[in-house]
Amino acid sequence: LELGPVRVWPIRMSPTRYRRNARLVRQSDPEEYHLSLVLSGGLGFDHVGRAGTYGPQDLWLSDSSRPYVVEPHGVPSSAPSEHPLVPGVGVELPKSLRPLTPARVRNLLSRRLSGRKGPGALLTGFLTGLDQQSAFLQPSDAPRLGMVVVDLLAAWLALELEAADAPTP
């Protein structure tokens, strides 16, 4: 869905490794942040020196200007066809619309972030609802809905940063 400058799209990933190396970044960098939401299954993600595993209702944020590797979690490379597709939702947001400074966003890149409660759950519900209602949306809805995505993303990221900055009990 093209929602003004924001793009939201459903995905079903086959158990394949996806790699964006430094050469590909130099060839083409759209200057975007990408938000990924895993709906079921699991994915491994390696970005900005952080590697993690993401499962249902997990979100992660990545930067198109930096290399990454995405691969289904727990899938032996010898038998990928025996494993189901991993469904999710992707969001691409121009860096110019970022709700936070680059240094603050950098702290959240490639971290496993929950979409199960609070603003994360609102964002997750909105993104999955967009896919379910896409046939009923009018072109005139796009810019407003794009800004809703930006606002929900800003609220969620601010909460995640507060939690990350909180002292350890």
Side-chain angles (χ1 to χ4, degrees), residues 76-110:
S77 59
S78 61
S81 62
E82 298 173 14
H83 298 277
L85 297 176
V86 178
V89 178
V91 177
E92 289 164 348
L93 169 81
K95 288 181 180 179
S96 61
L97 291 180
R98 72 181 172 261
L100 303 163
T101 66
R104 300 277 291 170
V105 172
R106 196 172 309 118
N107 291 331
L108 295 173
L109 293 177
S110 193

Side-chain angles (χ1 to χ4, degrees), residues 116-128:
R116 292 177 198 80
K117 61 184 179 185
L122 292 172
L123 178 61
T124 297
F126 187 76
L127 293 175
T128 56

Side-chain angles (χ1 to χ4, degrees), residues 14-34:
S14 62
T16 305
R17 183 177 213 195
Y18 299 89
R19 197 162 121 190
R20 179 170 168 80
N21 60 29
R23 182 179 58 83
L24 292 173
V25 169
R26 285 189 304 273
Q27 284 178 349
S28 173
D29 182 9
E31 293 288 322
E32 294 177 328
Y33 290 115
H34 177 83

Side-chain angles (χ1 to χ4, degrees), residues 126-149:
F126 187 76
L127 293 175
T128 56
L130 278 173
D131 182 40
Q132 295 164 356
Q133 296 299 315
S134 63
F136 305 104
L137 300 176
Q138 301 299 313
S140 60
D141 297 328
R144 289 185 293 269
L145 293 173
M147 292 317 298
V148 170
V149 172

Side-chain angles (χ1 to χ4, degrees), residues 38-122:
V38 178
L39 296 174
S40 70
L43 292 173
F45 186 60
D46 188 347
H47 183 59
V48 298
R50 291 184 193 121
T53 302
Y54 303 86
Q57 305 307 110
D58 285 340
L59 298 136
W60 78 79
L61 189 65
S62 60
D63 180 344
S64 68
S65 301
R66 297 169 180 254
Y68 64 80
V69 176
V70 179
E71 55 193 344
H73 177 66
V75 177
S77 59
S78 61
S81 62
E82 298 173 14
H83 298 277
L85 297 176
V86 178
V89 178
V91 177
E92 289 164 348
L93 169 81
K95 288 181 180 179
S96 61
L97 291 180
R98 72 181 172 261
L100 303 163
T101 66
R104 300 277 291 170
V105 172
R106 196 172 309 118
N107 291 331
L108 295 173
L109 293 177
S110 193
R111 283 191 34 221
R112 185 171 157 234
L113 304 164
S114 176
R116 292 177 198 80
K117 61 184 179 185
L122 292 172

